Amino acid sequence: MAGLLVAISVMGVIMSIVLPVWSQAAKREREAELVFRGEQYVRAIELYQRQYVGAYPPDLETLVDQRFLRRLYKDPMSDDGEFRLIYQSEAEDFQAGPALDEEPGESDGESNNLEDRRPSFSGPIQTGSRSSGGVIGVVSTSSEPSLRIHNGSENYDEWPFIYRPTSTSPGTDGTPTAIRGRRLGTPGSPRNR
């Protein structure tokens, strides 16, 4: 009987150690899935934009119907599994910032202050009457704090996945001039001299 009590108490201690580690690993996996699914939506919107130049899809079902997206993905961080759509009229709410994807407390050597590296994003996305234009992206509806920092944000509803088209001049492929001149076989590169 004493041996059984000791075994149960040892198992209780082991479970109290393993359970938080397992829970954190599961949350990390869901975060990785959120990033993957958000990027799939961005890719599908980009393909739609290439097919219909200058237009954005009116909804996510259009992306599936026209085979730009295999299926609608669920938000792994929210209870209802629904992403919130970001419309073209909300584009000015999201300004490009540094692409950070790190654990809280990690530093890339540039700045020790997170506020210095944070993009100019004004907090969680507010649902309002400004939803007009086509869909340019998605964001999670969960306001839980994240385990890692993604694009300078620590809450899932501050992780927008938005398609931002690159502007190019006629006759260029969108590659910056400094890189274009160094390509193998292009005029002005060291191999052609």
Side-chain angles (χ1 to χ4, degrees):
M1 188 68 144
L4 182 61
L5 289 176
V6 169
I8 290 174
S9 63
V10 168
M11 287 178 54
V13 169
I14 290 174
M15 288 301 289
S16 68
I17 294 171
V18 171
L19 193 58
V21 171
W22 179 78
S23 175
Q24 188 174 17
K27 191 170 182 178
R28 284 185 194 280
E29 185 69 27
R30 288 192 347 249
E31 283 182 355
E33 191 64 26
L34 173 64
V35 171
F36 170 77
R37 292 175 184 187
E39 289 174 353
Q40 289 300 305
Y41 280 118
V42 170
R43 182 181 168 277
I45 293 168
E46 177 183 9
L47 293 173
Y48 185 92
Q49 176 104 123
R50 286 182 185 176
Q51 181 74 26
Y52 304 102
V53 179
Y56 288 97
D59 54 29
L60 297 179
E61 289 80 14
T62 303
L63 296 174
V64 175
D65 292 343
Q66 296 186 12
R67 299 181 186 221
F68 295 109
L69 190 63
R70 199 168 47 117
R71 63 184 175 95
L72 291 178
Y73 293 104
K74 295 204 175 273
D75 178 2
M77 305 315 290
S78 67
D79 295 330
D80 63 358
E82 296 295 321
F83 279 101
R84 182 172 111 49
L85 303 181
I86 302 171
Y87 291 93
Q88 194 173 7
S89 60
E90 300 170 305
E92 67 272 0
D93 293 342
F94 305 95
Q95 298 175 2
L100 297 177
D101 201 7
E102 61 188 36
E103 302 293 325
E106 286 185 2
S107 176
D108 57 1
E110 292 177 9
S111 173
N112 291 332
N113 186 1
L114 180 62
E115 295 299 321
D116 294 341
R117 297 179 283 139
R118 195 168 262 211
S120 54
F121 175 65
S122 60
I125 301 167
Q126 302 297 322
T127 306
S129 60
R130 296 183 36 204
S131 58
S132 63
V135 176
I136 62 170
V138 295
V139 67
S140 178
T141 57
S142 172
S143 60
E144 290 181 42
S146 61
L147 293 177
R148 68 179 182 183
I149 298 171
H150 181 76
N151 290 333
S153 299
E154 297 177 0
N155 292 335
Y156 299 120
D157 59 351
E158 296 175 358
W159 290 16
F161 299 97
I162 300 174
Y163 170 65
R164 291 182 176 92
T166 56
S167 60
T168 59
S169 302
T172 65
D173 60 358
T175 308
T177 308
I179 296 172
R180 194 179 317 120
R182 293 187 193 140
R183 283 195 178 154
L184 185 62
T186 57
S189 67
R191 294 203 126 182
N192 288 341
R193 289 185 183 164

